[in-house]
Amino acid sequence: MSHPLLNKDGGERHLLLGNEAIVRGALEAGVAFVSCYPGTPSSEVPDTFFRLSPDGDYTFEYSVNEKVALEVGGGAALAGAPTLVTMKHVGVNVAADPLMTLAYIGTPGGLVLLSADDPGCHSSQNEQDNRYYARIAGMPVFEPSSAQEAKDMTRDAFELSRRFEQPVMLRTTTRVAHLRGPVDFGPRPGALHGPDFTKNPGRFVPVPAVSRARHIALLENLTKIREAVESSPWNTVSGNGEVGVVASGMARAYVADVLDEERFSGRFRVLNLGLTYPLPEEKLANFLREVRRVLVVEEGEPLVEQALRAIAQERGIDVEIVGKGKHLTRLGEYCTRQVRLAVADFVGETDATASCPAPEKLPMRPPNLCAGCSHRALYYTIRQAYGDNAVYSSDIGCYTLGLLPPLSAADFLLCMGSSVSAGCGFAKAQDKPVVGFIGDSTFFHSGITGLVNAVYNRHDILLVILDNRTTAMTGHQPNPGVDTTIHGENPSKVDIETIVRGCGVEHIRRVSPYNFKKTMAAVEELKALPGVRVLIAEEPCVLFARRTLRKARPNVAYVAEQTEAVTRCLTELACPAFRKDGDEVAISEHQCAGCMFCMQICPDIKARKRSQS
C-alpha cells in the first residue's frame, strides 16, 4: 500500500511533522532528484525520502558530505531535474564552495536548498544564521512557521527557482522541523523533467570572463525576483494602529500567539515576512510610513532590523525601530513568553504572566553514551593506555559524548572531519602524544583528506576510526561502508581499511572494542610507533544492531560479589546500566546490552542468561 505522502490526489489532510511536510511539498512540486547529508534538525526529510524511495518516482541518495550532495544536486538541476538538497546549517559551510558558483550559473531545472538552522544549539556546535549565506550567494529565502507553510513554501520555492532558474533556500529552524500540525495536500504531479540541457559554456563554465558576466546576470535576476517578492502572498500586512510589529520566520508564530491575547488584541499593525530575501522594500517602506514605532521580532541575527533601519534612513522616514535588546537577543530560540515580555516592554507595560521555572534540585542529566555502546569500551581502553598523558582530538558524532569524566576523551573539536588535521597540527606544536577519534560516516565525509594530508606531511598521530556500521547520531542513515540498510544489504560497500591503506598508512590494526585484551594489545603496539597509525574499532551501534540487524545478545551481566573492583568498574566505566542500591552496585537487566565488556575488566561481574519476562 502506497504511503499517504505519495498520494497523487489533493484534498486530504494529514497530521505531519514539519520535516515530513517539506517532503510532501517537494513531491507536489514534482521533485525528481534528492540528495543530502543527514544532520539534525533536517534528518527526517531525507530519511522520509529514503523510506519512500522504493515506491517513489524520484532519485534519492545519501551523499558522503554536503559539498558532494550539492554538487550532485547541482548537476541534476542543470540537466533539468527539479532538485532538493538537504543539510543542517553547518553543512552549508561545507557546501559553500559549489553554492556560490551555482548561484552564478543558475539551475534551470530548479534547485531548493534546505538549510535547517539550530538556534539554541540543541544538537550543533554553533547557532549560525544561514540567512547570511543567502545574502552572500544571492538566493531567495523562504522561512516557514508551521507544518502547512513548510509544505506550501517548499512547493513555491521550487516554482520560484524554476521560474528564475536560480537556487532558492528553504530556511527552517529546529522548532519548525520538529513541530507537528495539520497539512492540507494539493495534487502531486509526479517527477517533472526539463528543460533539456542546452550546451552553453558561456554560461555554465565559469572561467573568469564568464563569471564576471554571470555576476551581472545574478544581480539582474535578483532585481526581478525582488519585484516579484513585493506582491508575494507570503508577506502580508494585517491590523491597524500607529504601533507596528515586523516578524519573520518562526518568530511569526510566537508574535501571533502574543497579539491574540486580549490585552494586546487589535492594538498593532503587523507585517509578517515569510519570503525574507530579497525583502519587499516598497512594502516595508510603506509600512514604516504608516506607523510611529516598530518592533522587529526575528530569531538569530538582526538582518531584517538592519534592513528596516537602512530603508528608513534612505527614504527619510521618521519612525522608531526597536529590535535586538534586553528580551530579544541574538542568542538561542525565542518563545512566546520571551516575545510577550518584549511586546509589553515595547508599549511601556509590564508583563505579570507567571513564568514556569524548572523545579530546583532536579538531578542533572548530562549527555551520555548508550549502555553497551562500543565507544565507551574503546575510550576506557585508550585511557588505560594513555590516561591524561595524551591529548584527545574529537570529531562530530556519538563519540563526542565521551567528553565528560570519567571517559574524558575529547580535548578539542572544530567541525566534521577535523579530528585528523586539527590533531596533526596540535601534535606539531607540543610534545604530548595525540589521539584522534573519528566515526565511519565522518571519515567518509571529510576525514579522508585529513588522513592524506597527515601521511604526506609526515604527521605524528594515532587515529582511531570508530566504525559502528552506520551513521548513528542522526538516526542510522547508511554510509558507503555499511553492510545493511533498512532496504537490505549494501551491494556497493566501500572498505575503510582499504582506503586507509591506499592513503599510505602502514601501521593499521583492526579490532572489536568489546574485546579488551586484543584492543589493549593493539593500542599499546601502535602507541610505541611514530608517524600516522590507524586503529579501526569495528562494532555495530548497539541500537542499530538491535533495531535493524535484529541481533540480540542472550546474556546480561550481573554483580556476583560486592567488591572494590565492582565499585571501580562503576566509577571508571560509568555504563548507564549500572546503578547504586544503597551501598551496593547493581546492573539493570533492562538496560544491559549484553556486551560483556565490564566482565572482562572486573572479575566479580558475571554473565547469566537474559530472563524471558
Side-chain angles (χ1 to χ4, degrees):
M1 183 177 177
S2 178
H3 193 283
L5 287 174
L6 292 174
N7 288 352
K8 289 208 167 184
D9 297 329
E12 298 178 356
R13 174 176 290 185
H14 291 274
L15 188 66
L16 298 182
L17 204 64
N19 278 342
E20 293 171 332
I22 291 171
V23 173
R24 178 64 192 185
L27 291 168
E28 290 185 9
V31 68
F33 192 94
V34 183
S35 57
C36 78
Y37 187 78
T40 307
S42 73
S43 295
E44 292 85 359
V45 177
D47 288 358
T48 303
F49 273 113
F50 181 52
R51 281 200 308 276
L52 301 179
S53 57
D55 299 319
D57 50 7
Y58 52 84
T59 299
F60 172 83
E61 75 166 46
Y62 285 109
S63 302
V64 293
N65 64 33
E66 295 86 352
K67 178 176 182 287
V68 173
L70 187 57
E71 290 165 345
V72 173
L78 288 174
T83 298
L84 177 68
V85 183
T86 76
M87 57 194 67
K88 66 182 296 177
H89 62 318
V90 291
V92 179
N93 301 334
V94 182
D97 196 359
L99 176 62
M100 299 302 149
T101 303
L102 273 174
Y104 272 32
I105 66 175
T107 48
L111 187 145
V112 175
L113 171 65
L114 169 63
S115 167
D117 291 10
D118 189 15
C121 296
H122 294 286
S123 58
S124 310
Q125 64 267 46
N126 68 44
E127 50 182 341
Q128 69 187 49
D129 186 337
N130 277 3
R131 293 179 300 168
Y132 275 125
Y133 268 117
R135 283 153 174 76
I136 296 171
M139 300 172 69
V141 179
F142 286 83
E143 293 188 73
S145 66
S146 67
Q148 183 70 54
E149 286 189 357
K151 192 271 284 182
D152 292 339
M153 283 190 179
T154 303
R155 178 200 61 208
D156 290 358
F158 271 100
E159 191 279 328
L160 189 71
S161 180
R162 289 169 65 85
R163 178 179 167 195
F164 291 96
E165 299 190 1
Q166 289 291 148
V168 172
M169 176 181 286
L170 179 70
R171 186 230 184 196
T172 61
T173 56
T174 305
R175 199 60 48 184
V176 180
H178 293 158
L179 61 76
R180 192 173 285 277
V183 178
D184 292 324
F185 283 13
R188 182 175 76 86
L192 302 177
H193 293 284
D196 290 336
F197 181 67
T198 301
K199 291 190 176 186
N200 183 1
R203 173 180 175 182
F204 296 122
V205 184
V207 295
V210 172
S211 298
R212 286 190 285 270
R214 291 307 304 173
H215 195 184
I216 295 170
L218 170 61
L219 297 180
E220 290 175 347
N221 228 4
L222 278 176
T223 300
K224 296 175 186 173
I225 294 172
R226 184 173 285 107
E227 292 169 357
V229 168
E230 290 290 346
S231 58
S232 169
W234 292 115
N235 299 324
T236 60
V237 177
S238 61
N240 296 294
E242 294 183 335
V243 181
V245 175
V246 176
S248 70
M250 189 61 205
R252 288 182 291 128
Y254 306 136
V255 168
D257 283 349
V258 170
L259 300 191
D260 195 43
E261 295 175 6
E262 185 175 351
R263 61 183 291 201
F264 295 123
S265 179
R267 296 174 58 184
F268 295 86
R269 189 172 179 81
V270 180
L271 202 166
N272 274 305
L273 292 171
L275 211 178
T276 61
Y277 186 79
L279 286 168
E281 294 186 2
E282 291 303 322
K283 180 171 282 186
L284 288 169
N286 291 334
F287 184 84
L288 293 179
R289 291 188 185 98
E290 292 169 350
V291 294
R292 183 170 48 84
R293 306 177 68 224
V294 171
L295 176 67
V296 185
V297 187
E298 58 182 324
E299 283 182 331
E301 299 298 311
L303 298 179
V304 174
E305 178 188 341
Q306 290 171 353
L308 286 175
R309 293 184 188 282
I311 291 170
Q313 190 274 333
E314 290 169 357
R315 305 187 186 216
I317 302 172
D318 183 18
V319 60
E320 180 186 359
I321 299 172
V322 177
K324 298 299 178 187
K326 176 182 175 184
H327 301 297
L328 303 176
T329 73
R330 296 165 65 184
L331 307 173
E333 276 194 307
Y334 288 180
C335 63
T336 303
R337 172 169 169 74
Q338 192 175 357
V339 173
R340 184 187 300 114
L341 286 168
V343 171
D345 198 35
F346 179 61
V347 294
E349 299 176 3
T350 56
D351 182 74
T353 308
S355 62
C356 300
E360 295 182 358
K361 298 182 179 179
L362 281 176
M364 296 293 291
R365 296 183 62 190
N368 202 357
L369 293 165
C370 300
C373 175
S374 62
H375 298 348
R376 181 183 304 280
L378 187 281
Y379 284 149
Y380 176 88
T381 307
I382 289 284
R383 287 202 62 85
Q384 292 299 305
Y386 283 94
D388 288 331
N389 291 326
V391 175
Y392 301 112
S393 177
S394 192
D395 220 303
I396 303 292
C398 289
Y399 35 93
T400 312
L401 301 176
L403 165 72
L404 298 176
L407 301 176
S408 302
D411 290 316
F412 57 87
L413 164 64
L414 300 182
C415 60
M416 288 285 284
S418 68
S419 59
V420 193
S421 34
C424 288
F426 198 97
K428 280 286 185 186
Q430 51 83 65
D431 296 329
K432 283 191 172 184
V434 174
V435 180
F437 299 108
I438 192 169
D440 46 346
S441 185
T442 311
F443 178 73
F444 288 117
H445 178 283
S446 49
I448 296 172
T449 49
L451 186 60
V452 170
N453 184 74
V455 172
Y456 171 64
N457 288 294
R458 301 181 182 182
H459 284 291
D460 186 7
I461 187 171
L462 170 58
L463 178 65
V464 181
I465 301 176
L466 298 124
D467 182 2
N468 61 9
R469 319 305 299 149
T470 187
T471 310
M473 180 167 264
T474 50
H476 299 152
Q477 294 84 6
N479 65 57
V482 304
D483 305 295
T484 305
T485 77
I486 58 172
H487 295 314
E489 288 190 13
N490 172 18
S492 306
K493 181 179 165 184
V494 179
D495 182 60
I496 290 177
E497 182 175 347
T498 303
I499 292 177
V500 171
R501 204 171 294 283
C503 289
V505 179
E506 296 180 7
H507 305 295
I508 306 169
R509 300 293 181 271
R510 198 167 188 157
V511 297
S512 165
Y514 285 160
N515 189 321
F516 176 62
K517 285 186 178 178
K518 287 190 175 180
T519 303
M520 178 60 86
V523 171
E524 292 289 1
E525 190 179 357
L526 293 173
K527 181 183 176 183
L529 297 171
V532 180
R533 302 91 73 201
V534 172
L535 177 70
I536 301 173
E538 184 179 294
E539 191 65 50
C541 160
V542 65
L543 299 180
F544 183 71
R546 188 165 63 231
R547 294 172 181 172
T548 303
L549 303 180
R550 304 296 180 189
K551 289 184 178 178
R553 292 179 180 270
N555 295 333
V556 294
Y558 74 99
V559 177
E561 185 178 355
Q562 296 292 333
T563 63
E564 186 179 337
V566 173
T567 302
R568 189 166 56 250
C569 184
L570 165 66
T571 304
E572 296 181 355
L573 189 61
C575 177
F578 283 56
R579 70 175 189 271
K580 288 290 291 287
D581 285 341
D583 293 332
E584 296 192 344
V585 177
I587 299 175
S588 166
E589 176 178 322
H590 299 295
Q591 291 202 57
C592 179
C595 72
M596 298 304 157
F597 185 79
C598 57
M599 203 173 66
Q600 299 172 57
I601 61 175
C602 177
D604 302 311
I605 295 177
K606 307 293 184 186
R608 62 172 168 77
K609 290 288 184 185
R610 190 184 297 274
S611 62
Q612 299 302 312
S613 59

